[in-house]
């Protein structure tokens, strides 16, 4: 009888262990871990079959859909979810209708591609809700009752460390095997491995570092600290020397400086002593990056020199001087001035805007390779020339423009291309949390942890990068790391509120 009971207990324990693996929290953490695999699969699939279709487009929504269904059926949030879905559905219908009416022959994309962007952003907000609800609310309350606080949050942070490890491992494997693609393929500068965009992979790694670097603290085991340090070193060298983007080179310096400064300030506030080990760590990282840049050179510096040389090679056939917009835009300007450009190909508002862009670029002597400035000027003038309330509210379409004028900077793109309503629905939740987080930092600076400051800096950094550079919210994997940063910020704020409540109750 005793042996049978022991067997039953063992079987129950095995069943319980298996069930504990298949939880919604583990599933969401697994989603973070497989992001690099999905990115590689998407890039290789597209290149092998020469198609714009990505297999990850069909795989990525599966886990968020499971998550939202879990919340919908398990918790009493059906009315709120219905209202939220209705708001996003009404916006999408209005936006797509305007896109359909606005689209002309010069449009770079179709309505199907515009739907893909809207779908991605809707899943972005869906994931934001799922992760903050599960990790910063539901399981938080459960763990507080069980006195097992931080368990799921630690899982979430570990999933980011694993994901970054996979990213950097795949990157170095592609470099060692000589199969890496170029960041700038037309001039064969920089290496982005088996990933779609060099800007995106750089942004993903930098945002991950805001979560991984604080894992070197004494709160974690020696194994995790050594693991984190190795990944940080390998990532830093890659971003500084091999990627070829300004975001990578300047970004790694910003992240390391942020961590060192935050720790120094934190040490002064709490103990009046500067953490000497931290200063040594920052110095070592800088020396390693400096040595790597000196020995191997920097693809970023090489790229900047090339752009400077190229801008003098593009001549304006109208003025005969070096051009301040691209050659294709000069050709369009010439056709507009000659009256040979069809209105079916480009509407009057766009034609007028391109002429204004041409004049302003020449007046301010903007570099013809500075596409982000050119795009910002174009879209700022276009929104004035269109003069439509519906366009201002719901946007004129992201893919309805000439290919060189598609916005790379995402925050302005949300406002101009997706309208005021789209900006509030898709971008404002992240900005609001960042602003509120900064307010909490200001009000409770003496109670702020290093981790909280780094997570908040990461979220603010993501918003800034999305404004000045792009390829942040527009990339599905980068978007997931931003969501994790947002979730960690919210959870840390709640930690501080709980601590204050306990102090109040004791009094």
């Amino acid at each position: 009888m005793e042996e049978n009971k022991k067997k039953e207990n063992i079987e129950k324990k095995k069943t319980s262990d298996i069930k504990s693996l298949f939880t919604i929290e583990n599933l969401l953490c697994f989603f973070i871990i497989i992001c690099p695999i999905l990115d590689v699969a998407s890039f290789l699939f597209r290149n092998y079959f020469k198609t714009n279709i990505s297999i990850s487009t069909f795989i990525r929504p599966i886990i968020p859909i499971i998550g939202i269904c879990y919340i919908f059926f398990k918790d009493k949030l059906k009315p709120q979810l219905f209202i939220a879905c209705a708001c996003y559905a009404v916006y999408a219908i209005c936006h797509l209708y305007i896109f359909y009416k606005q689209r002309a022959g010069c449009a770079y994309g179709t309505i199907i591609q515009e739907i893909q962007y809207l779908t991605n952003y809707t899943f972005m907000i869906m994931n934001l809700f799922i992760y903050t609800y599960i990790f910063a609310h539901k399981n938080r309350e459960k763990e507080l009752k069980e006195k097992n606080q931080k368990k799921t949050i630690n899982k979430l942070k570990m999933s980011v460390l694993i994901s970054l490890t996979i990213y950097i491992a795949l990157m170095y494997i592609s470099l060692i095997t000589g199969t890496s693609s170029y960041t700038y393929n037309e001039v064969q500068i920089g290496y982005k491995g088996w990933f779609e965009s060099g800007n995106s992979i750089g942004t993903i790694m930098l945002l991950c570092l805001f979560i991984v670097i604080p894992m070197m603290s004494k709160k974690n085991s020696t194994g995790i600290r050594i693991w984190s340090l190795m990944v940080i070193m390998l990532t830093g060298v890659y971003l500084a020397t091999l990627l070829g983007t300004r975001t990578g080179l300047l970004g790694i310096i910003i992240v390391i400086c942020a961590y060192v400064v935050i720790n120094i300030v934190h040490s002064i506030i709490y103990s009046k002593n500067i953490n000497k080990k931290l200063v040594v760590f920052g110095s070592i990282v800088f020396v390693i990056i400096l040595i790597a840049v000196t020995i191997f050179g920097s693809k970023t510096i090489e790229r900047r020199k090339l752009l400077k040389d190229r801008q003098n090679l593009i001549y304006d056939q109208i003025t005969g001087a070096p051009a301040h917009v691209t050659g294709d835009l000069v050709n369009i300007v010439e056709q507009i001035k000659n009256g040979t450009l069809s209105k079916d190909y480009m509407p009057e508002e766009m034609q007028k805007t391109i002429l204004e862009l041409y004049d302003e670029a020449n007046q301010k002597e903007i570099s013809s390779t500075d596409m982000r400035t050119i795009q910002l000027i174009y879209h700022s003038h276009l929104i004035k020339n269109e003069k439509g309330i519906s366009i201002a509210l719901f946007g004129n379409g992201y893919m309805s423009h000439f290919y060189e004028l598609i916005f790379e900077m995402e925050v302005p793109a949300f406002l101009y291309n997706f309208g005021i309503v789209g900006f509030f629905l898709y971008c404002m939740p992240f900005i609001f949390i960042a602003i509120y987080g900064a307010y909490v930092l200001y009000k409770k600076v003496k109670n702020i942890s290093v981790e909280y400051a780094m997570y908040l800096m990461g979220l603010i950094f993501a918003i800034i990068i999305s404004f000045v550079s792009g390829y942040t919210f527009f990339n599905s994997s980068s978007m997931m790391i931003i969501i994790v940063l947002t979730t960690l910020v919210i959870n840390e704020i709640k930690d501080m509120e709980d601590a204050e409540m306990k102090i109040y109750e004791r009094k």
Side-chain angles (χ1 to χ4, degrees):
M1 289 290 290
E2 290 181 4
E3 288 181 4
N4 290 335
K5 284 183 180 180
K6 284 182 180 179
K7 287 181 179 178
E8 286 178 7
N9 290 333
I10 291 169
E11 288 177 2
K12 284 180 181 179
K13 189 178 179 182
K14 285 181 180 179
T15 305
S16 176
D17 290 341
I18 292 169
K19 284 182 179 179
S20 66
L21 288 174
F22 294 97
T23 61
I24 188 67
E25 301 84 13
N26 288 347
L27 189 63
L28 294 176
C29 288
F30 176 70
F31 190 35
I32 302 294
I33 292 169
I34 64 170
C35 278
I37 307 300
L38 292 175
D39 288 344
V40 168
S42 175
F43 175 73
L44 296 178
F45 183 87
R46 283 177 176 175
N47 279 268
Y48 184 79
F49 291 103
K50 306 297 179 185
T51 178
N52 290 325
I53 299 171
S54 167
I55 56 172
S56 67
T57 303
F58 305 100
I59 298 172
R60 284 185 191 272
I62 294 173
I63 292 176
I65 289 171
I66 292 172
I68 206 72
C69 289
Y70 172 87
I71 295 170
F72 183 83
F73 290 108
K74 193 132 183 172
D75 298 316
K76 298 176 181 179
L77 292 172
K78 292 180 179 64
Q80 295 92 323
L81 289 174
F82 272 124
I83 292 169
C85 289
C87 289
Y88 282 93
V90 169
Y91 167 77
I93 291 168
C94 294
H95 176 81
L96 291 171
Y97 176 76
I98 292 171
F99 176 86
Y100 175 77
K101 298 293 287 185
Q102 288 282 115
R103 186 177 180 273
C106 67
Y108 186 59
T110 64
I111 194 166
I112 299 298
Q113 289 170 303
E114 193 77 8
I115 289 171
Q116 286 178 333
Y117 275 95
L118 286 178
T119 303
N120 285 341
Y121 300 145
T122 303
F123 274 115
M124 173 178 71
I125 296 300
M126 184 190 295
N127 282 323
L128 176 64
F129 169 72
I130 293 168
Y131 277 80
T132 53
Y133 181 78
I134 294 294
F135 288 100
H137 174 67
K138 186 177 177 62
N139 274 282
R140 175 187 175 79
E141 301 300 324
K142 179 183 174 184
E143 288 175 1
L144 283 171
K145 289 178 183 177
E146 296 175 355
K147 297 181 179 180
N148 193 23
Q149 196 177 353
K150 299 273 186 186
K151 185 179 177 181
T152 54
I153 286 294
N154 287 336
K155 283 183 181 179
L156 189 59
K157 289 189 281 190
M158 280 301 299
S159 68
V160 174
L161 175 57
I162 295 168
S163 182
L164 179 57
T165 304
I166 296 171
Y167 271 117
I168 200 64
L170 289 172
M171 186 61 67
Y172 278 103
I173 290 170
S174 70
L175 292 169
I176 292 167
T177 57
T179 55
S180 171
S181 56
Y182 292 104
T183 303
Y184 301 100
N185 193 53
E186 69 280 5
V187 288
Q188 297 189 344
I189 287 180
Y191 301 98
K192 61 183 177 68
W194 303 315
F195 299 97
E196 198 70 45
S197 165
N199 284 289
S200 294
I201 190 63
T203 300
I204 291 167
M205 288 182 177
L206 287 168
L207 295 179
C208 285
L209 286 176
F210 280 100
I211 299 169
V212 172
I213 290 178
M215 295 179 75
M216 293 190 302
S217 68
K218 292 180 180 179
K219 295 178 184 178
N220 293 304
S221 66
T222 305
I224 291 175
R225 287 158 63 188
I226 293 172
W227 178 5
S228 302
L229 181 60
M230 292 299 295
V231 171
I232 292 163
M233 295 296 186
L234 290 170
T235 304
V237 170
Y238 165 71
L239 291 172
T241 65
L242 298 169
L243 177 59
T245 68
R246 285 175 294 179
T247 302
L249 179 59
L250 299 176
I252 186 62
I253 295 171
I254 290 170
V255 176
I256 299 299
C257 283
Y259 184 64
V260 172
V261 170
I262 287 168
N263 269 277
I264 290 172
V265 172
H266 189 267
S267 297
I268 292 171
I269 290 173
Y270 280 88
S271 63
K272 306 297 182 182
N273 293 317
I274 295 174
N275 189 333
K276 293 179 181 179
K277 290 182 180 178
L278 187 65
V279 175
V280 172
F281 161 75
S283 302
I284 290 172
V285 172
F286 274 120
V287 168
I288 290 173
I289 291 173
L290 184 63
I291 291 170
V293 171
T294 304
I295 295 174
F296 301 106
S298 175
K299 296 297 179 183
T300 306
I301 297 170
E302 189 179 335
R303 166 70 174 166
R304 300 324 300 173
K305 287 179 179 177
L306 181 66
L307 284 176
K308 193 172 181 179
D309 293 338
R310 284 182 64 188
Q311 74 183 38
N312 297 321
L313 297 176
I314 302 173
Y315 276 85
D316 187 333
Q317 57 201 26
I318 298 173
T319 63
H324 296 288
V325 294
T326 65
D328 288 340
L329 287 176
V330 171
N331 290 334
I332 288 177
V333 169
E334 191 173 22
Q335 291 178 56
I336 294 170
K337 288 184 174 182
N338 293 336
T340 57
L341 193 69
S342 168
K343 291 179 183 178
D344 291 331
Y345 178 77
M346 185 175 287
E348 286 184 8
E349 295 85 358
M350 285 188 180
Q351 292 187 29
K352 180 183 177 183
T353 302
I354 287 180
L355 291 177
E356 291 172 354
L357 164 64
Y358 176 76
D359 291 337
E360 186 169 337
N362 285 334
Q363 182 183 352
K364 294 181 178 179
E365 296 185 346
I366 294 167
S367 169
S368 59
T369 58
D370 188 1
M371 289 309 302
R372 289 178 178 84
T373 301
I374 290 170
Q375 291 161 6
L376 184 60
I377 293 170
Y378 166 79
H379 286 279
S380 298
H381 283 279
L382 180 62
I383 202 73
K384 294 175 187 175
N385 292 331
E386 287 175 330
K387 296 178 182 177
I389 296 175
S390 60
I391 289 175
L393 289 174
F394 300 103
N396 52 24
Y398 182 67
M399 301 295 286
S400 62
H401 309 279
F402 186 65
Y403 77 100
E404 289 185 343
L405 298 172
I406 299 292
F407 238 142
E408 295 176 38
M409 299 184 291
E410 294 150 320
V411 173
F414 278 123
L415 188 58
Y416 291 132
N417 298 154
F418 296 94
I420 295 169
V421 177
F423 179 81
F424 272 89
L425 287 177
Y426 295 117
C427 194
M428 202 60 199
F430 297 97
I431 295 175
F432 173 78
I433 293 167
I435 292 171
Y436 181 69
Y439 170 77
V440 172
L441 178 67
Y442 171 74
K443 294 292 288 184
K444 303 178 182 180
V445 66
K446 291 185 178 180
N447 299 323
I448 296 298
S449 66
V450 171
E451 288 82 2
Y452 173 77
M454 282 297 288
Y455 304 150
L456 180 61
M457 282 292 294
L459 179 57
I460 294 170
F461 180 79
I463 294 168
I464 292 171
I465 287 295
S466 70
F467 185 87
V468 301
S469 179
Y471 305 101
T472 306
F473 288 102
F474 288 179
N475 180 272
S476 299
S477 295
S478 173
M479 174 184 77
M480 292 309 304
I481 306 302
I482 296 171
I483 288 167
V484 174
L485 284 165
T486 308
T487 303
L488 293 173
V489 167
I490 293 171
N491 189 74
E492 290 286 333
I493 291 172
K494 290 195 172 186
D495 277 349
M496 286 184 274
E497 290 174 351
D498 289 341
E500 289 176 355
M501 185 61 70
K502 286 178 182 179
I503 293 170
Y504 177 79
E505 288 173 353
R506 287 171 187 170
K507 290 181 179 179

